[in-house]
Structure formats: structure tokens, C-alpha cells
Amino acid sequence: MNRKVNLLRAALVMIALLVAFITVIFTIQFFSEGKVPLFVSSLFVSFIVVVLLGFRVLFLLAKILSYIKKSEAFSMKTLKVVSSIKQTILAMSIVFLGILPFFYTVADQDDAPGFLVIGFALVSIPFTVFIFSQIVEELFKSATELKADNELTI
């Protein structure tokens, strides 16, 4: 069990490093441009806020891994962390709406309405993850209640 938790923790670190690398590249690209249009600025701000919220989710996932390592996977502490992850993903979903002006402007300039559909698809991904996180929260809630009932029975 300890090896699996360490492997998952290493995967979280690798994801964090990859996201940080991509963020640095986009930031350098954004600031190396001259004057940028407003829709590109909204895309950049949305991207940075989503990255920061994503790092918060990675931190909370690492916290869950530490609870798993301590054999406290189904406790109220874990349930609170899962709830925090759900709220952070909802915030990411709302902030992700900031990229829609970019897709609209590009689709309008290039006369490519399919590009706007791609934008809506990208925006709908965090909402889908939010719904999945609600399901996971309910599963953790049920498992925590079952564990508490079993501890009272024994």
C-alpha cells in the first residue's frame, strides 16, 4: 500500500511540474508579445487562475494520499477535503468560462463556427468533472457512514 501511495504522490508531482512548465511557456509567450487584444488577455487571466486552482486541487489530492497512508481514508477529514476539491473544481469551471470570448472572437474572424463548438466542449469538461466529484463526495459520505456504523456495531 505504501508503494502505491508513493507512486501516486510521484504522479502528482510530475503533473504539477508539467503544468508549471506549460504555464511558464504561456506566460513568456504572453509577455513577449507587444500589445495584446482584450480577448487574449481574458484568456491569459483565465488560464492563470485555472492553473492556480488546479495546483490547489493537486495539493488537496496529496492531502488525501496522506490520509490514505495513515489508514484514515474514510473519515470526516477526508470528506472535508473531497468537498473542498469539489468546490475548487466548481470555481475552475466558472473561471473557465473566461476563455469563451477568445473562441468567439477567433471563430468570428475566421468564419469557423466549429471552433466555437470546440470552445464549448473545452468549457464543459470542468463541469463534467464537477458532477463526477459530486458523485465521489456522495460515495465518500456513504462509506464514512458505513464505517462509523461498523465501528459502533463492533
Side-chain angles (χ1 to χ4, degrees):
M1 180 64 128
N2 205 7
R3 293 175 81 191
K4 289 181 183 179
V5 171
N6 288 336
L7 180 66
L8 289 172
R9 188 165 288 156
L12 287 177
V13 169
M14 291 301 293
I15 291 170
L17 289 174
L18 179 67
V19 169
F21 177 72
I22 291 171
T23 303
V24 167
I25 289 175
F26 278 134
T27 304
I28 290 171
Q29 178 67 27
F30 180 76
F31 285 115
S32 67
E33 303 264 329
K35 184 177 173 162
V36 293
L38 180 63
F39 68 89
V40 175
S41 297
S42 73
L43 174 71
F44 180 72
V45 169
S46 297
F47 176 73
I48 293 298
V49 171
V50 166
V51 165
L52 293 174
L53 290 171
F55 277 123
R56 183 171 192 269
V57 169
L58 288 174
F59 171 74
L60 292 171
L61 287 173
K63 205 174 198 181
I64 288 177
L65 286 176
S66 69
Y67 291 151
I68 291 172
K69 198 172 188 178
K70 296 175 191 174
S71 298
E72 299 175 355
F74 298 110
S75 65
M76 290 306 290
K77 294 188 289 187
T78 306
L79 190 59
K80 287 179 185 177
V81 172
V82 170
S83 179
S84 294
I85 289 173
K86 182 187 79 165
Q87 292 169 353
T88 306
I89 290 173
L90 178 62
M92 287 173 70
S93 302
I94 292 169
V95 170
F96 223 80
L97 291 173
I99 69 168
L100 282 180
F102 170 76
F103 280 97
Y104 175 76
T105 305
V106 171
D108 190 38
Q109 287 176 352
D110 293 342
D111 195 28
F115 193 68
L116 191 59
V117 172
I118 292 171
F120 280 122
L122 285 175
V123 168
S124 68
I125 290 171
F127 283 110
T128 305
V129 173
F130 171 71
I131 291 171
F132 178 73
S133 67
Q134 281 186 314
I135 293 169
V136 169
E137 182 185 26
E138 290 300 319
L139 286 173
F140 266 95
K141 199 178 290 184
S142 296
T144 303
E145 290 172 1
L146 283 173
K147 183 182 177 204
D149 287 344
N150 281 344
E151 287 175 353
L152 290 175
T153 303
I154 297 174

